[in-house]
Amino acid sequence: MEIAPMTRRDKILLYVVLMLAFVVLFVRFLLIPGIENHQQADADLREAQDAQTSMQDAIMLAGTYAAEKNNNWGELQTANASYYSLLSSDELDTLVTSLELNHNLQPDSLTIGEPVTQSLTYYTASENAGQSAAPSAAASAFAGDDDTHHR
């Protein structure tokens, strides 16, 4: 089968098809991702600008917020003064004793000091249990006893 020689019209059509394929591939692989990246960057810029304006507003109002905080703190201290005044040792003892008696509470300990620590021998023994290479003599004797009972 012989291929017919290309005519001028065939060459022009081939050129047009190749140019059209180039344009389609250019649009598909260069322009569309570029447009998507531009839109994403534009959205990120708008978000960052909104965050910047809100932060600038917060900075502008920082003095007002500090004054309001100090004012509220003063009001809180004034309100708490009548409820939580400093108690002497005797007054505190009376308050704690009356709470215990009114609610049937019993103290666990009357001493104040460092907490007592206890030995963790059971924990360390269980940690080391899987590390021994051979069973102990007592374990083998116990296993031997079990074999005699099953016979």
Side-chain angles (χ1 to χ4, degrees):
M1 178 170 166
E2 284 184 38
I3 298 178
M6 291 182 63
T7 64
R8 179 174 169 80
R9 182 175 178 253
D10 292 339
K11 289 179 184 178
I12 291 173
L13 283 175
L14 184 62
Y15 179 74
V16 168
V17 167
L18 287 175
M19 281 296 140
L20 186 61
F22 177 75
V23 168
V24 167
L25 291 174
F26 178 79
V27 168
R28 170 65 182 98
F29 291 110
L30 291 178
L31 287 182
I32 291 177
I35 290 171
E36 290 173 356
N37 289 342
H38 177 69
Q39 290 172 344
Q40 181 64 39
D42 205 22
D44 291 345
L45 177 64
R46 273 187 260 115
E47 184 180 333
Q49 286 173 339
D50 291 343
Q52 180 185 12
T53 56
S54 66
M55 287 179 193
Q56 286 174 344
D57 292 343
I59 289 170
M60 299 285 270
L61 296 174
T64 306
Y65 292 151
E68 185 177 341
K69 177 190 157 235
N70 291 336
N71 184 28
N72 290 344
W73 181 254
E75 289 177 7
L76 179 65
Q77 293 303 322
T78 305
N80 282 342
S82 62
Y83 294 110
Y84 301 109
S85 60
L86 292 177
L87 300 174
S88 68
S89 180
D90 292 339
E91 291 171 333
L92 184 60
D93 185 42
T94 304
L95 178 67
V96 170
T97 304
S98 65
L99 283 173
E100 288 177 349
L101 293 175
N102 291 338
H103 298 288
N104 292 328
L105 300 175
Q106 298 294 324
D108 288 336
S109 171
L110 297 176
T111 59
I112 298 175
E114 292 296 318
V116 178
T117 58
Q118 53 184 334
S119 175
L120 301 175
T121 55
Y122 300 113
Y123 176 73
T124 55
S126 68
E127 257 188 3
N128 296 334
Q131 297 176 358
S132 62
S136 66
S140 358
F142 183 71
D145 290 344
D146 285 343
D147 290 341
T148 58
H149 290 294
H150 291 297
R151 291 185 188 163

